[in-house]
Amino acid sequence: MRREQQFVSLAHERLDQLRGEAEAAVRATMAQVSTSLQARVERDIEVAEHSASLGALDAADAGLCFGRIDRRDGVTYHIGRTGIRRDDADRTPLLIDWRAPVARPFYLATGYEPMGLRRRRHITTEGRTVTALHDEIMDLADTTRTGYESHDADEVLLAALNSARTGRMADIVSTIQAEQDHIIRAPQRGVLVVEGGPGTGKTAVALHRAAYLLYAHREQLAKRAVLIVGPNPAFLGYIGEVLPSLGETGVLLATVGELFPGVHATGSDTPAAAAVKGRAEMAHVLAEAVRDRQQVPEKGAPLVIRHDDGELVIDWDMAVEARHKARETQLPHNLARPHFVFRIIDELTAQLADRIGADPYGGPNFLGPDDIALLGKGIAASAEVHSAIATLWPPLTPQEFLADYLARPTHLGADEAELIRRADGPWTPADVALLDEAAELLGEDDSAARAAAEAERARQIAYAQGVLDVSYASRTYEFEDKHDEESEVLAAHDIIDAERFAERHEEADHRTAAERAAADRTWAFGHIIVDEAQELSAMAWRLLMRRCPTRSMTLVGDPAQTGDIAGLGSWKRILEPYVGDRWQHTRLGVNYRTPAEIMDLAARMRRKSCPDFRPPRSVRSTGVVPWTERATKEDLGRTVLAAVARETPDEGRLAVIAPRELHGELASLGGGPVDLTRTVVLLDPRQAKGLEFDSVIVVEPALFGESDLYVALTRATQHLGLVHVEDLPEALTQKG
């Protein structure tokens, strides 16, 4: 007996030793796996960072370095579209990113305030070839000369302004002016309104502000993304290359009509219909329409449901009580619906239990709690019951609800209802804001999707456990004859459990933040920039404010160019409902695009209705006054085509801006989607917003609204002509 006890004791000691050795082996293996995984993660991050750097360099390759500043202390910095450092221990800067604080004197230094500079050099390149150098002397006491001194401080700016257009906006990183720099580098928090007339660089400033914010707040905005909202797809195509040229590609560009995932708004509304849909009152109208979908049977006409154990009845009292309890939750329609459903099912269960379990002699109900629960499960599983409930409180998608509402508009005046009534057809941009409002009112009951996801995850874990079990079964133990030694093989389940094993096989989401934001209606952006902000309707603003709960926004526009009757125009009307008076306003007053001769003509037209109108000051004059040509109604098309042939520049772009109703007559100039890279492009005034061309021909200006005409007249950088059949507006025929 004693020997047996000793043997058992020795066996336990050996097992303890083996267990300790196995645990140590497991810990070592797990540490090795963890180290390997960490190294892999670090390699992936390093590869991603290098890829991003290479992408930025590729995007900024044209004109990578555009400037140099020589400081009085002898330090010289080269300024570029992105930063580059030497691969040495000190990571010595080779090229300073234009957004870095040390580069700011390149934009702000003047002869009166040199900011510590001796000279500033502008470097002009073509591809990778330097074509010109322009030096500005900041310290007049410095007698050193390079031979590249410029006698005109604005020579580089004017050269950029006079260059031929390509159909794509170019960045202004090498010619940012002081007033623009202050706006670009303004703090991120809060709402900043940037107002400016035509040609003041509002859009360019907004885009460079996006690039600056992504540089200054990289960690935050890289996760939340920046949204830039433009007035139309042509405009987004026009500005699409600016941020990539600055090394920034993680920004979402969209129109309001593209901000509801899964919906592509290709339809169009009349201006009057868009105005009705865009009114703030539509939020209340849609809320009432949703409540209308939460119905009850009429008194005296209950809803009867066939059931195996006899008919079930949903009467007015039952439904009203259930609806009241569901509405008390203050949840959106689809999220409140389960409360309505459960209440009705409970009442129907009690109704059936009373019938089945009733004692004919007046005694107590003989059904127990388990019996009643079983009846409830049967009713809850009844397709007839759920069909009946769906007629009272239907589950709704925003698309289903809005399509039904537009077919039968309610809670509007008869004239307004008729304006927006539509039985079918594609969604319009104005519909998108209504869809977003409907989505807020309805909510999304994702319980079924979550249950399905949990079931799938459980299935994957079960499968992973099966794999680990097979691994465990194959494990071998070798015992020698004396049973004093054991050889143990480490198995997979010693290192990883089924849940973690399943996670390793889940598909990773490799989309960028901007791509994920585009697919998620509830995404909260880190910052939103809105161009032509004065054009947006009240309902569109409700949509955008939901996308940015922090109210970190930059709004650029010009109330004088408000053309959409749904637009709010006034900054106070736009912002007061959301931030009160807690917003900043700044104005750009210099026109870099439009020559003085053209701007004078546009300003005369505006002063007819607004005598105090003050246009932005043009920085240049070409000496070329706008021309006019009269045509007959029969010859209008031929006259325009002849003018196009005559005015089309050898380099650059020409736009014909005509009322939409004349586009058929001018179809030979182009049709379909706008392609701004073509030498000649046909547009209406709304499509021309925010764009610029070397030459512009405005056709039949008397048919334009005042704001639309103002926009059309101010798109040209060089030449403007007017072709007309109707008499020109008086302001366009007068001098001075």
Side-chain angles (χ1 to χ4, degrees):
M1 184 69 178
R2 182 180 179 85
R3 291 188 63 185
E4 290 178 356
Q5 290 176 341
Q6 289 177 340
F7 178 78
V8 170
S9 176
L10 289 172
H12 278 297
E13 289 178 5
R14 182 57 178 158
L15 287 173
D16 288 342
Q17 180 183 355
L18 289 172
R19 185 179 295 108
E21 291 174 355
E23 289 176 353
V26 168
R27 285 194 296 270
T29 304
M30 291 187 70
Q32 183 179 0
V33 170
S34 177
T35 301
S36 176
L37 289 174
Q38 180 64 29
R40 179 179 177 182
V41 169
E42 291 176 354
R43 284 197 304 272
D44 289 345
I45 292 174
E46 186 177 3
V47 168
E49 289 177 346
H50 287 167
S51 296
S53 298
L54 287 173
L57 290 173
D58 286 342
D61 185 47
L64 181 60
C65 177
F66 57 80
R68 193 183 84 181
I69 51 177
D70 299 343
R71 301 199 320 193
R72 287 175 177 172
D73 60 7
V75 177
T76 294
Y77 291 116
H78 285 85
I79 313 299
R81 284 173 166 78
T82 189
I84 300 177
R85 293 179 177 272
R86 284 194 178 94
D87 189 17
D88 56 17
D90 297 329
R91 302 283 289 162
T92 308
L94 284 173
L95 190 64
I96 301 297
D97 193 299
W98 66 275
R99 296 164 289 191
V102 73
R104 201 169 190 193
F106 182 79
Y107 299 107
L108 300 184
T110 66
Y112 296 102
E113 185 56 55
M115 300 180 69
L117 298 189
R118 289 190 304 108
R119 79 177 56 241
R120 170 171 52 206
R121 168 170 288 181
H122 292 271
I123 303 172
T124 304
T125 60
E126 189 172 320
R128 298 188 179 189
T129 303
V130 176
T131 57
L133 300 175
H134 298 83
D135 286 350
E136 294 179 62
I137 304 301
M138 299 285 115
D139 183 0
L140 298 180
D142 183 0
T143 59
T144 303
R145 294 295 180 265
T146 64
Y148 298 110
E149 285 74 23
S150 174
H151 300 291
D152 185 352
D154 293 328
E155 185 175 345
V156 175
L157 173 63
L158 292 174
L161 297 178
N162 286 317
S163 63
R165 270 41 190 173
T166 65
R168 293 288 183 264
M169 176 181 277
D171 66 64
I172 60 169
V173 67
S174 62
T175 57
I176 293 172
Q177 303 301 292
E179 66 168 358
Q180 297 171 332
D181 183 81
H182 288 299
I183 295 170
I184 290 169
R185 299 174 191 262
Q188 174 201 1
R189 294 281 180 189
V191 177
L192 174 65
V193 173
V194 182
E195 183 179 331
T200 53
K202 302 183 297 297
T203 299
V205 167
L207 294 173
H208 287 69
R209 175 162 169 74
Y212 172 76
L213 292 177
L214 284 164
Y215 172 85
H217 307 280
R218 177 73 64 189
E219 183 176 353
Q220 173 192 352
L221 294 183
K223 295 177 181 177
R224 303 310 312 160
V226 173
L227 170 65
I228 298 179
V229 180
N232 55 61
F235 175 84
L236 296 181
Y238 175 64
I239 68 172
E241 296 178 2
V242 173
L243 286 168
S245 76
L246 300 175
E248 299 295 346
T249 57
V251 176
L252 177 62
L253 275 67
T255 66
V256 171
E258 296 169 329
L259 289 179
F260 195 93
V263 169
H264 188 50
T266 59
S268 60
D269 284 305
T270 65
V276 172
K277 291 179 179 181
R279 286 176 11 202
E281 291 78 11
M282 284 301 296
H284 174 73
V285 167
L286 294 181
E288 289 301 309
V290 169
R291 289 175 68 88
D292 289 346
R293 302 302 300 272
Q294 301 163 2
Q295 300 179 354
V296 297
E298 294 183 9
K299 286 186 177 181
L303 198 60
V304 179
I305 307 168
R306 290 182 301 174
H307 191 267
D308 293 341
D309 296 307
E311 292 180 341
L312 301 174
V313 176
I314 303 176
D315 60 20
W316 184 86
D317 290 324
M318 181 195 302
V320 167
E321 176 66 15
R323 184 174 68 177
H324 174 70
K325 292 298 183 182
R327 285 178 174 176
E328 267 191 336
T329 65
Q330 297 185 346
L331 293 170
H333 174 90
N334 289 328
L335 300 183
R337 185 176 185 273
H339 296 268
F340 179 82
V341 172
F342 295 152
R343 188 82 177 185
I344 293 294
I345 289 176
D346 285 347
E347 291 295 327
L348 293 178
T349 302
Q351 189 181 114
L352 186 58
D354 287 344
R355 181 193 307 155
I356 294 176
D359 186 343
Y361 300 104
N365 194 310
F366 60 78
L367 293 179
D370 291 343
D371 299 318
I372 294 175
L374 190 60
L375 289 178
K377 288 182 179 179
I379 290 175
S382 169
E384 289 81 4
V385 169
H386 282 283
S387 177
I389 293 175
T391 65
L392 301 177
W393 194 303
L396 296 169
T397 67
Q399 292 92 326
E400 292 169 342
F401 166 74
L402 188 61
D404 181 68
Y405 176 79
L406 293 176
R408 293 179 295 276
T410 57
H411 305 285
L412 289 172
D415 292 341
E416 293 175 330
E418 191 57 36
L419 281 172
I420 69 170
R421 191 185 311 278
R422 187 181 72 223
D424 53 22
W427 297 113
T428 71
D431 290 335
V432 167
L434 301 185
L435 284 168
D436 198 70
E437 190 71 29
E440 290 292 308
L441 294 168
L442 296 174
E444 182 180 359
D445 182 5
D446 61 350
S447 56
R450 284 188 284 106
E454 286 298 323
E456 174 61 18
R457 178 169 173 76
R459 187 193 66 78
Q460 292 177 351
I461 292 174
Y463 177 80
Q465 186 62 58
V467 173
L468 293 176
D469 289 343
V470 171
S471 171
Y472 180 73
S474 66
R475 191 174 183 177
T476 60
Y477 296 86
E478 295 180 359
F479 295 93
E480 296 185 357
D481 292 341
K482 294 182 179 181
H483 301 285
D484 60 349
E485 290 186 5
E486 179 182 339
S487 175
E488 182 173 300
V489 178
L490 198 63
H493 81 277
D494 291 315
I495 301 173
I496 190 169
D497 60 23
E499 188 170 353
R500 291 179 62 190
F501 189 48
E503 286 175 355
R504 292 188 63 184
H505 292 274
E506 291 179 356
E507 186 175 350
D509 189 348
H510 297 292
R511 294 175 300 171
T512 66
E515 289 169 337
R516 284 183 282 122
D520 185 355
R521 192 193 68 83
T522 62
W523 189 274
F525 288 92
H527 193 81
I528 293 181
I529 293 174
V530 186
D531 206 317
E532 302 293 347
Q534 76 283 348
E535 298 287 354
L536 270 59
S537 70
M539 291 301 293
W541 281 112
R542 288 177 65 88
L543 178 154
L544 287 180
M545 291 298 175
R546 291 188 194 105
R547 302 296 194 275
C548 192
T550 61
R551 304 293 189 261
S552 177
M553 309 177 85
T554 302
L555 314 181
V556 299
D558 180 13
Q561 297 183 61
T562 305
D564 198 321
I565 59 176
L568 296 180
S570 162
W571 302 121
K572 182 179 180 181
R573 290 180 62 195
I574 291 171
L575 295 171
E576 193 170 46
Y578 304 102
V579 297
D581 60 356
R582 301 183 304 278
W583 50 279
Q584 293 183 320
H585 178 274
T586 187
R587 184 174 178 83
L588 294 168
V590 179
N591 187 336
Y592 299 99
R593 174 205 303 148
T594 317
E597 293 81 2
I598 296 176
M599 200 63 219
D600 289 345
L601 178 70
R604 289 204 305 271
M605 186 274 300
R606 286 291 296 161
R607 289 195 186 100
K608 283 298 179 180
S609 61
C610 184
D612 296 331
F613 175 73
R614 297 179 61 186
R617 177 179 58 83
S618 296
V619 299
R620 62 198 176 96
S621 173
T622 61
V624 180
V625 298
W627 55 265
T628 64
E629 184 173 355
R630 189 151 201 162
T632 65
K633 186 174 182 180
E634 294 74 19
D635 289 339
L636 178 61
R638 286 193 293 272
T639 304
V640 172
L641 292 176
V644 167
R646 184 177 67 247
E647 296 292 325
T648 300
D650 295 332
E651 294 182 1
R653 300 294 182 270
L654 179 145
V656 176
I657 304 178
R660 174 61 63 175
E661 57 265 32
L662 296 180
H663 281 211
E665 190 173 350
L666 303 172
S668 61
L669 296 175
V674 176
D675 181 2
L676 297 176
T677 63
R678 294 181 55 191
T679 303
V680 178
V681 62
L682 175 64
L683 304 167
D684 65 38
R686 305 296 172 86
Q687 294 172 316
K689 274 187 176 293
L691 308 181
E692 62 182 23
F693 305 90
D694 299 88
S695 299
V696 171
I697 298 173
V698 178
V699 180
E700 206 63 300
L703 301 183
F704 290 64
E706 183 177 301
S707 293
D708 286 346
L709 180 54
Y710 183 58
V711 169
L713 295 176
T714 54
R715 300 303 98 194
T717 65
Q718 302 293 338
H719 305 133
L720 172 67
L722 290 78
V723 177
H724 61 102
V725 175
E726 303 291 336
D727 290 341
L728 290 174
E730 183 181 356
L732 300 185
T733 62
Q734 296 177 343
K735 301 292 185 182

